[in-house]
Amino acid sequence: MIFRARLVGTGTAEVEAYGSGDAEARLEKEAQRAIDGARLSVRAIRRLDEAPRIVESFRLEYRLRVDVAVEGTEASARRAAFTAARRALSGTRFERIAWERADLEADDPT
């Protein structure tokens, strides 16, 4: 059976940017490049530099939502979804994400 898994995870990332809005936009773009259709929401942002600079360092806490299509039984589909997401995020700043849950929905091919 084919399932659509909706994965939700949280993490933190440090980003060099021209301001907090730029830092958030950069992180969102990176998530989109890693997994097409990824939705990132920033939960908190903190400036790491003590003095203002043109390019500053920020630490962002984020929540990432992705949809992954997988095949198998319900139990194996859940594992396959986490594996596919980990593989897609490998080598990115999102590879250490803490996955919270995977909601499965049967994908009706008709």
Side-chain angles (χ1 to χ4, degrees):
M1 180 177 272
I2 297 173
F3 291 94
R4 180 186 358 234
R6 291 196 166 100
L7 304 174
V8 178
T10 57
T12 60
E14 290 187 13
V15 178
E16 299 285 320
Y18 293 105
S20 59
D22 182 43
E24 187 172 344
R26 285 175 187 247
L27 201 61
E28 288 172 350
K29 286 178 185 176
E30 287 181 30
Q32 284 286 320
R33 277 195 303 268
I35 298 180
D36 190 38
R39 296 165 313 282
L40 185 131
S41 58
V42 174
R43 299 169 60 175
I45 187 166
R46 187 167 61 100
R47 181 175 278 115
L48 298 178
D49 300 317
E50 293 180 20
R53 299 180 325 167
I54 293 173
V55 176
E56 300 177 288
S57 297
F58 296 91
R59 176 170 291 129
L60 291 84
E61 294 178 22
Y62 61 85
R63 178 178 300 267
L64 185 66
R65 293 178 174 84
V66 297
D67 292 342
V68 179
V70 291
E71 193 171 345
T73 65
E74 190 169 333
S76 68
R78 194 176 306 277
R79 283 191 302 274
F82 284 124
T83 300
R86 282 188 199 102
R87 191 172 294 131
L89 297 174
S90 179
T92 71
R93 69 174 82 230
F94 302 103
E95 70 182 345
R96 303 188 115 223
I97 191 168
W99 294 108
E100 296 174 354
R101 69 177 194 269
D103 300 324
L104 293 179
E105 181 179 305
D107 201 9
D108 187 8
T110 60

XYZ file of all heavy atoms in Angstrom:
862
model
N 0.842 -1.174 0.000
C 0.000 0.000 0.000
C 0.893 1.246 0.000
O 1.959 1.247 0.605
C -0.901 -0.015 1.234
C -1.812 1.184 1.319
S -2.932 1.115 2.719
C -4.269 0.236 1.967
N 0.436 2.275 -0.661
C 1.186 3.529 -0.712
C 0.599 4.494 0.318
O -0.618 4.647 0.419
C 1.123 4.149 -2.120
C 1.794 3.215 -3.126
C 1.793 5.512 -2.124
C 1.639 3.649 -4.558
N 1.484 5.111 1.076
C 1.094 6.082 2.101
C 1.742 7.427 1.827
O 2.830 7.493 1.273
C 1.553 5.619 3.496
C 0.830 4.419 4.015
C 1.349 3.151 3.826
C -0.351 4.561 4.716
C 0.702 2.038 4.315
C -1.013 3.455 5.217
C -0.490 2.185 5.012
N 1.080 8.466 2.268
C 1.693 9.799 2.311
C 1.973 10.062 3.794
O 1.058 10.037 4.618
C 0.756 10.868 1.757
C 1.374 12.246 1.807
C 0.438 13.355 1.403
N -0.862 12.882 0.992
C -1.441 13.180 -0.150
N -0.846 13.954 -1.012
N -2.631 12.709 -0.453
N 3.233 10.239 4.113
C 3.637 10.494 5.498
C 3.903 11.982 5.662
O 4.650 12.571 4.883
C 4.888 9.694 5.834
N 3.276 12.571 6.658
C 3.520 13.972 6.994
C 4.398 13.988 8.235
O 3.963 13.644 9.323
C 2.204 14.690 7.260
C 1.402 14.847 6.010
C 0.305 15.879 6.178
N -0.208 16.228 4.879
C -1.332 15.737 4.379
N -2.045 14.894 5.086
N -1.731 16.085 3.174
N 5.672 14.355 8.027
C 6.652 14.358 9.106
C 6.775 15.753 9.699
O 6.737 16.750 8.980
C 8.017 13.924 8.580
C 8.088 12.569 7.884
C 9.465 12.357 7.308
C 7.726 11.469 8.825
N 6.958 15.791 11.013
C 7.161 17.057 11.723
C 8.381 16.885 12.614
O 8.492 15.913 13.355
C 5.934 17.434 12.583
C 6.185 18.720 13.349
C 4.689 17.543 11.729
N 9.294 17.851 12.533
C 10.486 17.817 13.369
C 10.908 19.217 13.772
O 10.459 20.208 13.187
N 11.774 19.289 14.772
C 12.268 20.580 15.241
C 13.789 20.540 15.328
O 14.393 19.472 15.434
C 11.708 20.935 16.631
O 12.038 19.897 17.543
C 10.200 21.113 16.593
N 14.379 21.727 15.285
C 15.822 21.817 15.402
C 16.272 23.255 15.548
O 15.454 24.182 15.633
N 17.587 23.427 15.587
C 18.184 24.759 15.638
C 19.264 24.837 14.561
O 19.840 23.819 14.173
C 18.820 25.065 17.010
O 19.846 24.106 17.265
C 17.785 25.035 18.125
N 19.504 26.050 14.108
C 20.533 26.265 13.098
C 21.150 27.636 13.307
O 20.461 28.573 13.729
C 19.947 26.166 11.705
N 22.441 27.741 13.022
C 23.117 29.028 13.044
C 23.280 29.494 11.606
O 23.706 28.723 10.747
C 24.459 28.926 13.759
C 24.289 28.708 15.244
C 25.596 28.773 16.015
O 26.614 29.235 15.452
O 25.577 28.360 17.182
N 22.919 30.767 11.372
C 22.910 31.323 10.018
C 23.587 32.680 10.031
O 23.343 33.491 10.924
C 21.451 31.483 9.518
C 21.419 32.101 8.134
C 20.732 30.151 9.529
N 24.443 32.907 9.044
C 25.045 34.227 8.817
C 24.126 34.975 7.862
O 23.788 34.444 6.795
C 26.429 34.089 8.191
C 27.423 33.338 9.054
C 27.926 34.151 10.222
O 28.176 35.356 10.041
O 28.056 33.591 11.315
N 23.706 36.193 8.239
C 22.755 36.916 7.393
C 22.844 38.412 7.656
O 23.487 38.869 8.598
C 21.347 36.413 7.676
N 22.152 39.170 6.791
C 22.132 40.631 6.884
C 21.112 41.138 7.893
O 21.021 42.323 8.141
C 21.854 41.244 5.514
C 22.985 41.011 4.549
C 22.873 40.071 3.546
C 24.174 41.718 4.667
C 23.916 39.839 2.661
C 25.228 41.492 3.792
C 25.086 40.563 2.801
O 26.125 40.330 1.942
N 20.323 40.282 8.443
C 19.318 40.634 9.441
C 18.484 39.409 9.751
O 18.628 38.357 9.116
N 17.585 39.539 10.716
C 16.793 38.380 11.125
C 15.877 37.890 9.996
O 15.697 36.694 9.818
C 15.981 38.705 12.378
O 15.115 39.794 12.133
N 15.306 38.820 9.219
C 14.453 38.419 8.094
C 15.233 37.659 7.032
O 14.743 36.687 6.471
N 16.451 38.106 6.765
C 17.311 37.432 5.799
C 17.685 36.036 6.305
O 17.705 35.069 5.544
C 18.568 38.269 5.543
C 19.486 37.658 4.499
O 18.977 37.178 3.461
O 20.708 37.676 4.721
N 17.965 35.924 7.595
C 18.318 34.624 8.181
C 17.157 33.642 8.025
O 17.352 32.481 7.637
C 18.681 34.791 9.655
N 15.959 34.106 8.300
C 14.781 33.253 8.175
C 14.563 32.829 6.720
O 14.314 31.655 6.436
C 13.558 34.007 8.695
C 12.317 33.180 8.771
C 11.185 33.904 9.473
O 11.420 34.908 10.166
O 10.050 33.441 9.314
N 14.692 33.770 5.794
C 14.505 33.466 4.371
C 15.550 32.471 3.874
O 15.233 31.559 3.102
C 14.558 34.750 3.549
N 16.797 32.626 4.313
C 17.861 31.699 3.898
C 17.562 30.279 4.369
O 17.738 29.314 3.626
C 19.207 32.144 4.453
C 19.798 33.327 3.754
C 21.078 33.785 4.459
N 21.555 35.014 3.878
C 22.687 35.102 3.203
N 23.471 34.056 3.056
N 23.059 36.260 2.689
N 17.114 30.154 5.615
C 16.819 28.836 6.166
C 15.645 28.192 5.421
O 15.680 27.000 5.102
C 16.521 28.956 7.663
C 16.673 27.693 8.486
C 18.097 27.160 8.432
C 16.261 27.943 9.925
N 14.623 28.975 5.126
C 13.476 28.455 4.377
C 13.899 27.968 2.987
O 13.467 26.903 2.546
C 12.396 29.526 4.239
C 11.677 29.816 5.536
C 10.736 31.010 5.442
O 10.763 31.742 4.423
O 9.973 31.211 6.397
N 14.738 28.732 2.312
C 15.204 28.342 0.972
C 16.027 27.060 1.030
O 15.908 26.189 0.162
C 16.026 29.456 0.343
C 15.190 30.621 -0.117
C 16.065 31.709 -0.686
C 15.239 32.934 -1.033
N 16.062 34.055 -1.495
N 16.870 26.934 2.047
C 17.677 25.719 2.184
C 16.793 24.496 2.413
O 17.062 23.421 1.879
C 18.678 25.873 3.322
C 19.821 26.804 2.985
C 20.817 26.932 4.129
O 20.967 25.962 4.898
O 21.430 28.002 4.237
N 15.752 24.651 3.208
C 14.826 23.538 3.454
C 14.132 23.136 2.159
O 14.004 21.943 1.862
C 13.801 23.924 4.519
N 13.706 24.115 1.360
C 13.053 23.842 0.085
C 13.989 23.129 -0.892
O 13.557 22.257 -1.629
C 12.561 25.148 -0.552
C 11.313 25.702 0.077
C 10.094 24.894 -0.303
O 9.963 24.471 -1.439
N 9.221 24.675 0.653
N 15.268 23.537 -0.886
C 16.239 22.866 -1.771
C 16.474 21.426 -1.336
O 16.676 20.544 -2.165
C 17.558 23.629 -1.797
C 17.572 24.794 -2.749
C 18.971 25.294 -3.015
N 19.701 25.683 -1.821
C 19.733 26.918 -1.324
N 19.083 27.886 -1.922
N 20.429 27.187 -0.250
N 16.464 21.175 -0.034
C 16.726 19.827 0.475
C 15.556 18.888 0.190
O 15.757 17.753 -0.240
C 17.015 19.879 1.972
N 14.338 19.363 0.434
C 13.131 18.546 0.218
C 12.079 19.444 -0.413
O 11.600 20.389 0.223
C 12.584 17.948 1.532
C 13.598 17.019 2.182
C 11.283 17.203 1.270
C 13.129 16.395 3.483
N 11.725 19.117 -1.636
C 10.719 19.902 -2.340
C 9.405 19.884 -1.555
O 8.951 18.826 -1.127
C 10.506 19.332 -3.744
C 9.664 20.236 -4.603
O 9.814 21.467 -4.504
O 8.843 19.712 -5.379
N 8.837 21.039 -1.339
C 7.573 21.139 -0.607
C 7.730 21.259 0.895
O 6.736 21.304 1.619
N 8.965 21.305 1.397
C 9.188 21.451 2.834
C 8.631 22.791 3.309
O 8.721 23.793 2.623
C 10.681 21.362 3.152
N 8.030 22.767 4.490
C 7.488 23.987 5.088
C 8.205 24.224 6.411
O 8.164 23.380 7.297
C 5.984 23.845 5.280
C 5.264 23.702 3.943
C 3.837 23.199 4.056
N 3.581 22.053 4.907
C 3.830 20.786 4.589
N 4.400 20.485 3.431
N 3.530 19.798 5.405
N 8.849 25.360 6.508
C 9.636 25.689 7.694
C 9.009 26.887 8.383
O 8.647 27.868 7.735
C 11.078 26.010 7.290
C 12.020 26.258 8.458
C 13.283 25.446 8.287
C 12.358 27.720 8.564
N 8.857 26.789 9.691
C 8.412 27.948 10.469
C 9.428 28.187 11.577
O 9.868 27.247 12.247
C 7.008 27.726 11.040
O 6.963 26.571 11.843
N 9.821 29.435 11.726
C 10.802 29.802 12.746
C 10.053 30.063 14.048
O 9.112 30.858 14.100
C 11.613 31.036 12.301
C 12.526 31.505 13.422
C 12.429 30.699 11.061
N 10.471 29.382 15.092
C 9.826 29.514 16.403
C 10.506 30.568 17.257
O 9.864 31.210 18.081
C 9.846 28.167 17.106
C 9.075 27.121 16.304
C 9.276 25.739 16.818
N 8.823 25.631 18.196
C 8.786 24.507 18.864
N 9.183 23.402 18.295
N 8.375 24.463 20.099
N 11.812 30.745 17.071
C 12.562 31.752 17.829
C 13.827 32.097 17.051
O 14.364 31.264 16.328
C 12.930 31.227 19.221
N 14.262 33.336 17.206
C 15.491 33.774 16.553
C 16.265 34.629 17.548
O 15.688 35.435 18.273
C 15.197 34.539 15.241
C 16.482 34.830 14.487
C 14.382 35.781 15.493
C 16.260 35.271 13.050
N 17.590 34.387 17.576
C 18.429 35.116 18.528
C 19.710 35.553 17.833
O 20.348 34.771 17.133
C 18.767 34.219 19.715
C 19.489 34.937 20.831
C 19.512 34.087 22.095
N 20.204 32.834 21.898
C 21.457 32.611 22.280
N 22.156 33.549 22.873
N 22.005 31.433 22.076
N 20.060 36.808 18.022
C 21.310 37.356 17.472
C 22.458 36.869 18.357
O 22.408 36.967 19.580
C 21.234 38.891 17.478
C 22.455 39.559 16.904
C 22.264 41.077 16.836
N 21.504 41.410 15.634
C 20.290 41.944 15.636
N 19.687 42.220 16.770
N 19.679 42.208 14.510
N 23.512 36.331 17.746
C 24.635 35.797 18.508
C 25.747 36.821 18.719
O 26.543 36.682 19.652
C 25.207 34.555 17.810
C 24.235 33.377 17.671
C 24.903 32.237 16.926
C 23.749 32.924 19.035
N 25.819 37.822 17.858
C 26.869 38.830 17.971
C 26.493 39.880 19.016
O 25.342 40.280 19.127
C 27.085 39.524 16.621
C 27.494 38.546 15.538
O 28.329 37.676 15.831
O 26.965 38.656 14.416
N 27.497 40.330 19.763
C 27.245 41.355 20.772
C 27.115 42.732 20.145
O 26.281 43.531 20.553
C 28.362 41.350 21.817
C 28.376 40.086 22.656
C 29.485 40.096 23.681
O 30.000 41.164 24.008
O 29.827 39.004 24.158
N 27.928 43.023 19.164
C 27.900 44.334 18.516
C 27.297 44.194 17.117
O 27.491 43.182 16.460
C 29.319 44.898 18.412
N 26.565 45.212 16.674
C 25.996 45.152 15.321
C 27.090 45.086 14.259
O 28.135 45.714 14.386
C 25.205 46.449 15.196
C 25.092 47.007 16.564
C 26.196 46.429 17.379
N 26.848 44.272 13.235
C 27.745 44.158 12.088
C 26.900 44.132 10.827
O 25.689 43.975 10.898
C 28.551 42.858 12.163
C 29.426 42.719 13.370
C 30.195 41.425 13.375
N 29.407 40.329 12.799
C 29.898 39.156 12.457
N 31.166 38.911 12.638
N 29.148 38.224 11.956
N 27.548 44.252 9.687
C 26.803 44.177 8.425
C 26.227 42.775 8.259
O 25.050 42.602 7.997
C 27.701 44.566 7.228
C 28.068 46.035 7.329
C 26.993 44.262 5.910
C 29.077 46.505 6.311
N 27.061 41.763 8.412
C 26.601 40.380 8.376
C 26.704 39.841 9.794
O 27.770 39.856 10.394
C 27.446 39.520 7.408
C 27.020 38.072 7.462
C 27.352 40.062 5.997
N 25.576 39.383 10.319
C 25.520 38.932 11.701
C 25.239 37.432 11.782
O 24.773 36.828 10.826
C 24.411 39.689 12.447
C 24.636 41.195 12.466
C 23.503 41.926 13.127
O 22.417 41.997 12.526
O 23.703 42.405 14.250
N 25.493 36.883 12.951
C 25.207 35.469 13.205
C 23.913 35.368 14.005
O 23.716 36.095 14.978
C 26.335 34.824 14.005
O 27.529 34.850 13.269
N 23.051 34.443 13.588
C 21.776 34.220 14.260
C 21.605 32.751 14.569
O 22.067 31.897 13.815
C 20.606 34.671 13.372
C 20.585 36.136 13.084
C 21.226 36.640 11.963
C 19.933 37.010 13.929
C 21.211 37.985 11.688
C 19.915 38.364 13.657
C 20.555 38.857 12.538
N 20.934 32.454 15.659
C 20.530 31.079 15.968
C 19.006 31.043 15.856
O 18.320 31.825 16.499
C 20.957 30.652 17.361
C 20.423 29.227 17.678
C 20.978 28.623 18.935
N 22.398 28.331 18.726
C 23.365 28.719 19.559
N 23.079 29.408 20.637
N 24.622 28.415 19.321
N 18.534 30.144 15.016
C 17.107 30.019 14.789
C 16.606 28.668 15.284
O 17.241 27.640 15.035
C 16.784 30.128 13.296
C 16.995 31.484 12.658
C 18.427 31.695 12.241
C 16.081 31.656 11.477
N 15.499 28.686 15.994
C 14.795 27.463 16.366
C 13.658 27.328 15.367
O 12.931 28.287 15.132
C 14.237 27.554 17.786
C 15.294 27.632 18.848
C 14.693 27.772 20.239
O 13.508 27.395 20.434
O 15.391 28.269 21.114
N 13.514 26.149 14.770
C 12.530 25.988 13.710
C 11.733 24.701 13.861
O 12.116 23.784 14.574
C 13.220 25.998 12.339
C 14.210 24.877 12.157
C 13.802 23.621 11.736
C 15.563 25.063 12.444
C 14.709 22.589 11.596
C 16.473 24.032 12.301
C 16.031 22.803 11.874
O 16.922 21.773 11.747
N 10.615 24.676 13.159
C 9.805 23.464 13.002
C 9.729 23.207 11.499
O 9.450 24.120 10.726
C 8.408 23.663 13.573
C 7.509 22.445 13.399
C 6.146 22.679 14.020
N 6.270 22.954 15.434
C 6.202 22.041 16.401
N 6.003 20.789 16.095
N 6.323 22.382 17.655
N 9.997 21.979 11.107
C 10.004 21.599 9.697
C 8.922 20.558 9.451
O 8.806 19.588 10.204
C 11.375 21.029 9.308
C 11.602 20.699 7.848
C 11.582 21.968 6.999
C 12.922 19.981 7.664
N 8.125 20.788 8.413
C 7.082 19.840 8.003
C 7.369 19.409 6.565
O 7.581 20.257 5.705
C 5.715 20.503 8.084
C 5.277 20.830 9.486
C 3.915 21.543 9.471
N 3.404 21.738 10.795
C 3.730 22.747 11.590
N 4.585 23.652 11.171
N 3.221 22.853 12.798
N 7.359 18.104 6.343
C 7.583 17.572 4.991
C 6.602 16.439 4.733
O 6.173 15.742 5.647
C 9.033 17.076 4.791
C 10.025 18.202 4.938
C 9.377 15.955 5.739
N 6.251 16.260 3.459
C 5.412 15.147 3.025
C 6.276 14.200 2.205
O 7.016 14.637 1.330
C 4.256 15.638 2.164
C 3.245 16.455 2.949
O 3.239 16.359 4.191
O 2.461 17.192 2.327
N 6.175 12.916 2.505
C 6.955 11.891 1.815
C 6.015 10.761 1.415
O 5.226 10.294 2.242
C 8.077 11.335 2.734
C 8.869 10.262 2.038
C 8.973 12.443 3.228
N 6.079 10.332 0.165
C 5.296 9.179 -0.291
C 6.141 7.924 -0.117
O 7.292 7.879 -0.541
C 4.888 9.349 -1.744
N 5.561 6.918 0.547
C 6.277 5.669 0.810
C 5.335 4.486 0.593
O 4.121 4.638 0.622
C 6.865 5.629 2.241
C 7.998 6.610 2.389
C 5.803 5.882 3.280
N 5.942 3.322 0.415
C 5.156 2.111 0.170
C 5.466 1.086 1.244
O 6.596 1.004 1.728
C 5.513 1.551 -1.206
C 4.563 0.511 -1.697
C 4.825 0.137 -3.144
O 5.543 0.875 -3.842
O 4.297 -0.904 -3.561
N 4.467 0.294 1.629
C 4.656 -0.779 2.593
C 3.475 -0.898 3.520
O 2.409 -0.333 3.282
N 3.685 -1.645 4.599
C 2.663 -1.729 5.633
C 2.715 -0.437 6.446
O 3.641 0.362 6.280
C 2.930 -2.917 6.576
O 4.164 -2.668 7.274
C 3.003 -4.229 5.817
N 1.751 -0.246 7.318
C 1.737 0.995 8.094
C 3.015 1.166 8.915
O 3.610 2.234 8.933
C 0.514 1.033 9.009
C 0.307 2.378 9.652
C -1.032 2.509 10.340
O -1.988 1.835 9.945
O -1.095 3.310 11.293
N 3.459 0.095 9.573
C 4.673 0.179 10.391
C 5.920 0.404 9.532
O 6.764 1.244 9.859
C 4.837 -1.086 11.224
N 6.036 -0.328 8.429
C 7.233 -0.165 7.597
C 7.208 1.165 6.851
O 8.253 1.753 6.592
C 7.375 -1.327 6.607
O 6.354 -1.302 5.636
N 6.026 1.669 6.525
C 5.914 2.963 5.836
C 6.399 4.101 6.733
O 7.069 5.023 6.272
C 4.473 3.206 5.400
N 6.081 4.027 7.993
C 6.533 5.058 8.942
C 8.062 5.078 9.018
O 8.687 6.120 8.928
C 5.915 4.794 10.316
C 6.021 5.927 11.288
C 5.298 5.604 12.591
N 3.912 5.196 12.427
C 2.877 6.022 12.291
N 3.081 7.311 12.292
N 1.657 5.564 12.165
N 8.665 3.904 9.142
C 10.136 3.810 9.181
C 10.745 4.304 7.870
O 11.743 5.028 7.869
C 10.582 2.375 9.464
C 10.439 1.961 10.907
C 11.123 0.637 11.195
N 10.639 -0.461 10.373
C 9.580 -1.214 10.656
N 8.900 -0.985 11.762
N 9.211 -2.199 9.859
N 10.145 3.900 6.750
C 10.644 4.313 5.436
C 10.555 5.826 5.258
O 11.428 6.439 4.640
C 9.868 3.605 4.335
N 9.520 6.444 5.798
C 9.365 7.900 5.689
C 10.485 8.612 6.446
O 11.088 9.562 5.931
C 8.004 8.329 6.226
N 10.762 8.171 7.666
C 11.855 8.777 8.437
C 13.192 8.574 7.726
O 14.012 9.484 7.659
C 11.922 8.212 9.857
C 10.856 8.738 10.775
C 10.000 7.879 11.434
C 10.713 10.101 11.000
C 9.021 8.349 12.286
C 9.741 10.590 11.844
C 8.891 9.708 12.497
N 13.408 7.383 7.188
C 14.650 7.090 6.468
C 14.795 7.980 5.239
O 15.870 8.540 4.989
C 14.699 5.605 6.062
O 14.637 4.800 7.244
C 15.961 5.281 5.297
N 13.732 8.140 4.469
C 13.775 8.985 3.270
C 14.058 10.438 3.633
O 14.851 11.117 2.960
C 12.454 8.881 2.514
N 13.446 10.925 4.701
C 13.679 12.313 5.116
C 15.110 12.498 5.614
O 15.769 13.486 5.275
C 12.682 12.712 6.198
N 15.613 11.555 6.408
C 16.996 11.645 6.889
C 17.979 11.655 5.730
O 18.947 12.409 5.717
C 17.313 10.489 7.834
C 16.764 10.667 9.202
C 17.274 9.590 10.157
N 16.414 9.525 11.314
C 15.487 8.593 11.516
N 15.332 7.621 10.642
N 14.731 8.625 12.581
N 17.723 10.806 4.739
C 18.599 10.724 3.569
C 18.575 12.044 2.791
O 19.622 12.542 2.372
C 18.156 9.570 2.673
C 19.154 9.239 1.586
C 18.780 7.977 0.836
N 18.864 6.816 1.741
C 17.907 5.912 1.877
N 16.795 5.996 1.181
N 18.067 4.905 2.702
N 17.398 12.630 2.611
C 17.273 13.893 1.868
C 17.962 15.045 2.596
O 18.487 15.960 1.964
C 15.807 14.221 1.637
N 17.976 14.994 3.918
C 18.567 16.083 4.713
C 20.028 15.850 5.065
O 20.674 16.716 5.650
C 17.749 16.298 5.991
C 16.302 16.739 5.774
C 15.555 16.780 7.096
C 16.252 18.074 5.068
N 20.550 14.696 4.717
C 21.952 14.384 5.003
C 22.872 15.403 4.327
O 22.695 15.741 3.162
C 22.274 12.975 4.502
O 23.622 12.677 4.740
N 23.827 15.899 5.079
C 24.778 16.866 4.547
C 24.278 18.306 4.573
O 24.976 19.201 4.113
N 23.079 18.532 5.103
C 22.553 19.892 5.230
C 22.558 20.297 6.696
O 22.803 19.473 7.578
C 21.102 19.988 4.701
O 20.228 19.309 5.609
C 20.974 19.398 3.310
N 22.233 21.535 6.961
C 22.160 21.974 8.356
C 20.953 21.386 9.081
O 20.791 21.556 10.278
C 22.195 23.493 8.466
C 20.991 24.197 7.951
C 21.026 25.690 8.229
N 21.831 26.384 7.248
C 22.795 27.255 7.581
N 23.036 27.556 8.822
N 23.494 27.848 6.646
N 20.097 20.649 8.358
C 18.903 20.037 8.948
C 19.115 18.573 9.327
O 18.191 17.933 9.815
C 17.729 20.123 7.960
C 17.405 21.521 7.547
C 17.790 21.994 6.302
C 16.736 22.374 8.401
C 17.495 23.277 5.904
C 16.437 23.669 8.016
C 16.817 24.122 6.775
N 20.304 18.025 9.103
C 20.503 16.588 9.311
C 20.384 16.162 10.775
O 20.173 14.992 11.056
C 21.824 16.108 8.710
C 23.060 16.558 9.407
C 24.312 16.070 8.692
O 24.217 15.176 7.840
O 25.382 16.598 8.979
N 20.454 17.088 11.706
C 20.350 16.729 13.126
C 18.958 17.032 13.692
O 18.777 17.133 14.898
C 21.419 17.467 13.933
C 22.808 17.153 13.384
C 23.896 17.677 14.247
N 24.583 16.486 14.726
C 24.985 16.305 15.959
N 24.817 17.231 16.846
N 25.586 15.201 16.310
N 17.984 17.161 12.808
C 16.620 17.470 13.226
C 16.087 16.370 14.143
O 16.434 15.197 13.999
C 15.713 17.647 11.994
C 14.366 18.240 12.387
C 15.540 16.346 11.243
C 13.544 18.707 11.203
N 15.277 16.760 15.104
C 14.624 15.801 16.001
C 13.202 15.597 15.478
O 12.360 16.491 15.597
C 14.605 16.338 17.428
N 12.956 14.439 14.876
C 11.629 14.166 14.335
C 10.670 13.888 15.479
O 10.973 13.102 16.371
C 11.668 12.994 13.372
C 12.456 13.300 12.141
C 13.675 12.810 11.799
C 12.081 14.204 11.099
N 14.077 13.349 10.603
C 13.121 14.208 10.153
C 10.968 15.016 10.860
C 13.075 14.983 9.006
C 10.933 15.787 9.711
C 11.970 15.767 8.798
N 9.527 14.531 15.458
C 8.532 14.383 16.523
C 7.467 13.356 16.184
O 7.024 12.612 17.044
C 7.856 15.727 16.803
C 8.825 16.760 17.335
C 8.185 18.130 17.464
O 7.027 18.322 17.041
O 8.862 19.022 17.993
N 7.032 13.370 14.923
C 5.975 12.427 14.559
C 5.887 12.268 13.045
O 6.395 13.084 12.295
C 4.632 12.870 15.118
C 4.066 14.110 14.485
C 2.677 14.427 15.064
N 2.002 15.396 14.272
C 2.065 16.702 14.460
N 2.796 17.174 15.436
N 1.416 17.529 13.681
N 5.193 11.184 12.661
C 4.880 10.929 11.252
C 3.424 10.495 11.193
O 3.068 9.445 11.712
C 5.786 9.849 10.678
N 2.600 11.331 10.596
C 1.179 10.987 10.425
C 1.015 10.370 9.054
O 1.403 10.955 8.042
C 0.316 12.246 10.541
C 0.465 12.921 11.901
O 0.611 12.181 12.902
O 0.436 14.157 11.960
N 0.441 9.156 9.018
C 0.271 8.434 7.753
C -1.160 8.581 7.245
O -2.112 8.558 8.014
C 0.578 6.952 7.933
C 2.011 6.584 8.250
C 2.137 5.076 8.419
C 2.954 7.071 7.190
N -1.245 8.684 5.928
C -2.543 8.734 5.249
C -2.438 7.841 4.026
O -1.500 7.992 3.230
C -2.832 10.184 4.848
C -4.128 10.404 4.158
C -4.312 11.882 3.839
O -4.225 12.717 4.743
O -4.518 12.163 2.637
N -3.372 6.913 3.869
C -3.350 6.033 2.702
C -3.572 6.882 1.461
O -4.465 7.725 1.411
C -4.429 4.971 2.819
N -2.718 6.675 0.470
C -2.801 7.433 -0.778
C -3.614 6.609 -1.773
O -3.161 5.576 -2.247
C -1.387 7.692 -1.318
C -1.343 8.862 -2.269
O -2.337 9.578 -2.399
O -0.279 9.065 -2.877
N -4.820 7.049 -2.055
C -5.728 6.323 -2.948
C -5.340 6.593 -4.394
O -5.466 7.728 -4.871
C -7.158 6.770 -2.684
C -8.174 5.945 -3.451
O -7.785 4.930 -4.064
O -9.357 6.314 -3.432
N -4.865 5.579 -5.136
C -4.401 5.803 -6.510
C -5.529 6.028 -7.516
O -5.285 6.361 -8.648
C -3.626 4.520 -6.841
C -4.225 3.499 -5.953
C -4.683 4.216 -4.715
N -6.791 5.848 -7.110
C -7.894 6.023 -8.057
C -8.411 7.428 -8.084
O -8.219 8.224 -7.305
C -9.065 5.073 -7.714
O -9.510 5.369 -6.392
C -8.633 3.642 -7.855
